[in-house]
C-alpha cells in the first residue's frame, strides 16, 4: 500500500531556524500552503542547495532531501585513504545537526521513479512524496565495461566501500607487484582525480612501503593527460609510472585481475596484482528514469539549472550537462544559483542573468605535496552557455598540501554545516 506524504506532514518536522530570509519573498512568505522543494541526493550539490534554499527562503519554503545513505562519504580527499593519511570516517558527514539547524526535512530512502504529470516521486519503499519543484542532485552512474564483480575490481570513485577495498588490496601488494588503473574518457567526475590517484599510489608503494620494483600502469582512454599535464607528467616520470594514452578498456577479468584494452585498434591484455578500472560515466540513474537526459547528461538552463526538457525539474552537480567540470566545489556553486533561481521563480521575479561559477580541485601527489587547479565560468548571453572566464593552477608543494585542508574544510563546512 502506498503512503503519501503531504506538505502538512512535512511541516511537522520543520524548524524555524533559518538564518536569512530572502528579501524578495513577501508573496510566498504569506502563503498558507508552502511550496515544497524536494531534492534527490544529499551530496555536495544537493546539501548546498537545500541549505541555501532555507537560508534565503526561510519559513516561506518547505525543503526535503531524499538521500539513500544516512551518512555521506566525501569522494574529495578520498585518495588520501589509500596512503593512510585519511580514513573514510574522517570524510563522513551525517545530516542530523545540519537538517535541524536549517529546518530541512530528511528522508533516508532511494527515489525509484518520478511522475512528472502529477508531480510526485515514489520511494523504494513505495511511499509517494509530492513536490512543487524537484532538484535532481544524484551524482553519476557508470557505463558497463563487461560483467565483473566490482567488489573485486573496485572503481572507488563513489562509495566508501570501494575506496576501503582498494586500500586493503593496495596494502597486500608486495615488492615487484603490478598496480593497473584506467582513466575514463572525458567528461567524468573530477578531471585531475585519476592522475592524482596514480601519483598517490606510486608514492605510497615507493616511499611508504619502500618497494623499488613495483609497476604502476595507467591506461588513459583520453589522448593525453587532460588537466595539469606538466604537473602529472613530471610526477609520473619521477615515480616511473607507465602512462599509456588512447587506451580504452574493453574487458575485465575479476578472477585473474587482467584487463583487456584497445590502443590504436590493437587489443592488449595486461595482468595485474591490483586492478582499479574507473569506467566511463553518465548522469545518475534517476536522471535517465525521469527522462531529463539527452545522451549521457542532463541539459539545463545555466541561469537556473532547470531542465530544458521538463519544467520544474532542476539538475545540479555531476549529472548536469553544461560542459562545466564535474566536481564538488563547482556543484556547490551551481546549487546556490539553482536555489536563488527557484526562489525567484516562486516569487515571479526575473532570473539573475550574469551567474558565475567557480571550480577548484586540489590534488595530492604524495603524502606531503599537492597541486591545485581552479577555473571560473561565466554566462555568455550570446550562446546561452557557461564559458571559461579564467583559470589558474599551482605546482605540487608542501605549502599547497596544507592549503588543501583549509580549502576542503571551507567547502565541507559551506555544504554540510
Ligand atoms: C578521488 C576524487 C577526488 C576528488 N577531488 C575533488 C576536488 O578536489 N574538488 C572537487 O571540487 N571535486 C572533487 N571530486 C569530485 C566530487 O566528489 C564530485 O564531483 C561531487 O561529489 C559531485 O557532487 P554531486 O552532488 O553531484 O554528487 P554526489 O556527491 O555523488 O551526491 C549524490 C548523492 O545522491 C544520492 N542519490 C543518488 N541517487 C539517489 C536516489 N535515486 N535516491 C536517493 N538518493 C540518491 C547518493 O547516495 C549521493 O549521496 C573528487 C572525486 C573523487 C572521486
Amino acid at each position: 500500500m502506498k503512503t503519501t506524504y503531504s506538505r502538512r506532514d512535512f511541516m511537522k518536522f520543520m524548524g524555524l531556524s533559518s538564518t536569512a530570509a530572502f528579501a524578495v519573498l513577501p508573496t510566498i512568505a504569506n502563503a498558507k500552503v508552502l511550496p515544497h522543494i524536494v531534492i534527490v541526493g544529499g551530496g555536495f550539490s544537493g546539501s548546498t542547495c537545500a541549505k541555501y534554499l532555507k537560508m534565503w527562503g526561510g519559513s516561506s519554503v518547505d525543503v526535503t532531501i531524499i538521500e539513500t545513505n544516512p551518512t555521506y562519504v566525501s569522494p574529495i580527499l578520498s585518495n588520501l585513504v589509500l596512503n593512510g593519511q585519511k580514513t573514510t570516517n574522517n570524510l563522513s558527514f551525517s545530516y542530523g545537526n545540519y537538517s535541524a539547524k536549517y529546518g530541512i526535512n530528511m528522508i533516508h530512502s532511494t527515489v525509484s521513479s518520478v511522475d512528472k504529470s502529477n508531480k510526485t516521486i515514489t520511494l523504494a519503499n513505495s511511499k509517494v512524496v509530492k513536490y512543487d519543484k524537484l532538484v535532481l542532485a544524484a551524482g553519476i552512474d557508470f557505463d558497463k565495461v563487461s560483467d565483473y564483480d566490482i567488489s573485486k575490481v573496485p572503481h572507488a570513485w563513489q562509495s566508501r566501500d570501494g575506496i576501503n577495498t582498494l586500500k586493503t588490496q593496495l596494502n597486500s601488494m608486495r615488492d615487484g607487484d603490478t598496480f593497473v588503473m584506467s582513466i575514463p574518457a572525458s567528461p567524468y567526475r573530477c578531471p585531475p582525480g585519476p592522475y592524482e590517484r596514480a601519483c598517490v599510489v606510486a608514492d605510497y608503494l615507493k616511499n611508504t612501503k619502500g618497494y623499488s620494483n613495483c609497476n604502476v600502469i595507467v591506461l588513459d582512454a583520453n589522448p593525453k593527460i587532460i588537466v595539469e599535464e606538466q604537473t602529472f607528467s613530471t610526477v609520473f616520470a619521477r615515480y616511473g609510472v607507465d602512462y599509456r594514452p588512447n587506451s580504452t578498456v574493453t574487458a575485465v577479468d575479476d578472477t585473474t585481475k587482467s584487463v583487456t584494452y584497445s590502443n590504436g585498434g590493437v587489443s592488449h591484455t595486461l595482468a595485474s596484482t591490483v586492478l582499479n578500472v574507473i569506467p566511463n560515466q553518465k548522469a545518475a540513474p534517476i536522471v535517465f528514469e525521469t527522462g531529463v537526459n539527452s545522451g549521457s547528461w542532463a541539459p539545463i538552463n545555466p541561469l537556473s539549472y532547470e531542465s530544458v526538457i521538463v519544467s520544474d525539474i532542476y539538475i545540479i552537480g555531476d549529472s548536469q550537462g553544461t560542459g562545466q567540470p564535474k566536481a564538488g566545489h563547482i556543484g556547490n556553486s551551481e546549487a546556490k544559483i539553482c536555489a536563488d533561481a527557484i526562489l525567484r521563480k516562486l516569487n515571479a521575479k526575473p532570473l539573475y542573468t550574469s551567474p558565475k561559477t567557480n571550480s577548484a580541485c586540489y590534488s595530492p601527489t604524495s603524502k606531503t605535496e599537492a597541486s591545485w587547479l581552479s577555473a571560473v565560468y561565466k554566462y555568455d548571453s550570446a550562446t546561452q552557455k557557461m564559458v571559461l572566464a579564467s583559470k589558474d593552477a599551482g605546482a605540487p608543494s608542501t605549502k599547497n598540501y596544507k592549503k588543501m585542508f583549509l580549502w576542503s574544510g571551507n567547502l565541507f563546512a559551506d555544504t554540510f554545516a
Side-chain angles (χ1 to χ4, degrees), residues 40-46 66-69 72 75-79 109-111 137-139 157 189-190 196-197 286 316-318 326-329 360-362 407:
V40 181
F44 280 97
S45 59
I66 303 177
E67 162 60 51
T68 303
N69 300 304
Y72 179 78
I76 295 178
L77 300 187
S78 64
N79 282 329
S109 184
T110 298
V111 174
W157 216 240
R189 162 174 287 183
C190 191
E196 154 193 328
R197 177 172 290 174
I286 195 63
I316 54 175
D318 287 358
K326 301 188 182 303
H329 186 118
C361 286
Y362 271 83
W407 161 78

Side-chain angles (χ1 to χ4, degrees), residues 355-368:
K356 282 187 179 170
T357 53
N358 174 226
S359 179
C361 286
Y362 271 83
S363 290
T365 50
S366 71
K367 62 182 175 189
T368 54

Side-chain angles (χ1 to χ4, degrees), residues 82-160:
L82 299 177
N83 65 0
Q85 300 299 299
K86 289 278 175 198
T87 64
T88 45
N89 278 347
N90 299 150
L91 302 177
S92 295
F93 300 91
S94 55
Y95 298 98
N97 291 343
Y98 155 92
S99 57
K101 183 171 170 188
Y102 299 104
I104 295 163
N105 314 300
M106 287 298 310
I107 296 177
H108 289 296
S109 184
T110 298
V111 174
S112 44
S113 64
V114 176
D115 180 338
K116 295 169 290 215
S117 310
N118 293 312
K119 290 195 164 182
T120 59
I121 59 179
T122 301
L123 309 183
N125 58 11
S126 300
K127 286 183 176 162
V128 174
V129 178
K130 291 175 185 281
Y131 69 84
D132 295 298
K133 308 278 179 204
L134 179 64
V135 180
L136 301 180
I140 51 166
D141 194 13
F142 299 88
D143 285 341
K144 211 169 179 152
V145 176
S146 63
D147 267 327
Y148 65 90
D149 182 349
I150 64 158
S151 69
K152 293 182 182 160
V153 181
H155 51 67
W157 216 240
Q158 195 174 34
S159 74
R160 90 187 70 196

